[in-house]
Amino acid sequence: MSAFSRELLSFVEISRHNSVRRAAEVLNVAPSALIRQMQMLERAFGAPLMARTPQGSSLTDAGKKLLEQATRWIDAERELRAVISRPNATGMRVGIMECLLPFVMAQPELRTGTLILKIIVSDTSTLLQQLRSGELDVVIAFNVLDDPDIHIHKKREYDIGLITAPGFAPAGGTEADLLSACADLPLCLPDGSLSIWPRLEGAFTRMRVQPRVMMDTNSVRLIRDYIKQGECMGFLTWLDVVQDVLSGDLSFHALDNLRLNETLCLCTRHVAGEVMPVMATLTRMFDALPQTGTPMPG
């Protein structure tokens, strides 16, 4: 049972599928019933919320605003229910990089029920925007710049290496290896939304290299999956690939002479006098992250 009306929840479901028919199938109701609910909702808000298109349904400007607000309401209700059902647990909204998901989900507080997490996975810029606006309590992200609104509690350097499928091993770890790697096989690279890209682009520019790009993406997981197929290589940090390296699915080749690295940062909003009650948990989690060349703690 939800605290929100049937009409609002149906509106969210139709928006998710862009189709009254598909939403009706999911909700197990007649499409005509959903249409009546939407008419009631539009009368309540005094504006059309949806428009029919050849492809299904699309939101009007008013509908987009309602969907944005309704999503916040529903998320807040879910968080409130979790807090009420576990009164001794601490809630925390965490923004992290994709590579940190396995480690965050292994935190003992999640298993004992003393910590309730809302996890947002995105790029550094987006996470910091959400931290400044108060949508997140803490962010763990790469290459956070000095900002009067952001308090960086801890930092750690992670090497960027050449990532290949097992069995392909460039000799050494020199500038020449990077050049040959870019020439011999196509590359899967992080796109400009990820903080690692400016460092790679700077290295390519300094060495006057034009990389053979097979694909660029904001998904580190997709890069790893393509490299595992053996048809391309890429550049990621040790933290991005540690589990795949330890399982034998990928190889990490250090590029020591290039001094390419990223700085992982543990951040909160810079609010005078505010000390987060879960800071000890966050600090312990950050300190336990694997250093370059070491495995993920068990």
Side-chain angles (χ1 to χ4, degrees):
M1 178 179 177
S2 173
F4 299 106
S5 70
R6 175 183 58 183
E7 290 79 14
L8 184 65
L9 297 176
S10 296
F11 166 75
V12 172
E13 196 66 34
I14 294 171
S15 301
R16 183 177 293 124
H17 297 284
N18 293 318
S19 168
V20 171
R21 180 184 59 80
R22 286 196 291 271
E25 292 172 354
V26 171
L27 297 172
N28 195 28
V29 299
S32 59
L34 288 188
I35 292 173
R36 287 194 296 272
Q37 290 178 28
M38 293 307 98
Q39 291 171 343
M40 293 173 60
L41 200 62
E42 288 179 333
R43 285 196 297 270
F45 282 94
L49 302 173
M50 290 186 170
R52 290 200 169 191
T53 68
Q55 292 75 31
S57 300
S58 64
L59 294 179
T60 64
D61 289 343
K64 292 176 183 177
K65 292 177 182 177
L66 177 58
L67 178 62
E68 183 179 350
Q69 185 61 62
T71 302
R72 291 198 192 100
W73 285 338
I74 293 169
D75 285 346
E77 182 195 26
R78 187 182 300 115
E79 293 173 15
L80 179 59
R81 287 179 182 274
V83 170
I84 291 175
S85 65
R86 288 186 279 173
N88 296 322
T90 300
M92 181 170 58
R93 301 167 301 172
V94 183
I96 61 173
M97 315 302 290
E98 190 178 18
C99 61
L100 293 174
L101 270 173
F103 186 77
V104 172
M105 298 311 298
Q107 290 306 298
E109 288 85 355
L110 290 178
R111 295 192 292 271
T112 60
T114 59
L115 183 63
I116 303 171
L117 284 183
K118 177 180 176 64
I119 298 175
I120 301 296
V121 178
S122 191
D123 59 89
T124 297
S125 177
T126 301
L127 293 177
L128 292 179
Q129 288 177 8
Q130 293 178 318
L131 182 63
R132 292 187 191 96
S133 67
E135 298 173 67
L136 294 174
D137 299 311
V138 62
V139 163
I140 305 178
F142 282 116
N143 308 318
V144 176
L145 302 177
D146 289 337
D147 186 313
D149 296 325
I150 303 296
H151 182 193
I152 301 177
H153 295 265
K154 282 182 170 287
K155 294 181 179 183
R156 178 178 294 175
E157 299 292 327
Y158 281 96
D159 291 345
I160 297 172
L162 176 65
I163 312 302
T164 70
F168 180 88
T174 67
E175 194 168 300
D177 299 323
L178 179 59
L179 289 167
S180 62
C182 293
D184 293 342
L185 283 175
L187 298 175
C188 290
L189 296 176
D191 70 13
S193 70
L194 299 182
S195 60
I196 187 175
W197 172 244
R199 286 152 177 77
L200 293 175
E201 184 179 36
F204 293 143
T205 300
R206 286 193 303 274
M207 292 181 292
R208 299 179 182 177
V209 172
Q210 182 62 47
R212 293 177 55 198
V213 181
M214 168 182 168
M215 175 187 68
D216 69 338
T217 174
N218 66 346
S219 172
V220 171
R221 179 177 179 178
L222 185 59
I223 293 173
R224 294 198 308 257
D225 288 345
Y226 264 86
I227 295 174
K228 288 175 187 177
Q229 298 175 16
E231 297 180 0
C232 64
M233 298 180 296
F235 296 92
L236 295 170
T237 72
W238 173 256
L239 199 57
D240 291 319
V241 298
V242 54
Q243 291 191 315
D244 289 315
V245 171
L246 295 177
S247 64
D249 294 323
L250 289 174
S251 295
F252 179 92
H253 306 281
L255 300 167
D256 298 329
N257 291 357
L258 295 179
R259 298 181 180 177
L260 283 174
N261 57 60
E262 289 205 285
T263 303
L264 189 68
C265 304
L266 170 63
C267 311
T268 61
R269 280 184 298 163
H270 208 315
V271 180
E274 181 178 331
V275 179
M276 295 182 59
V278 294
M279 206 62 221
T281 298
L282 297 173
T283 301
R284 188 190 68 249
M285 180 178 70
F286 190 89
D287 290 342
L289 291 172
Q291 304 274 9
T292 298
T294 63
M296 184 76 82

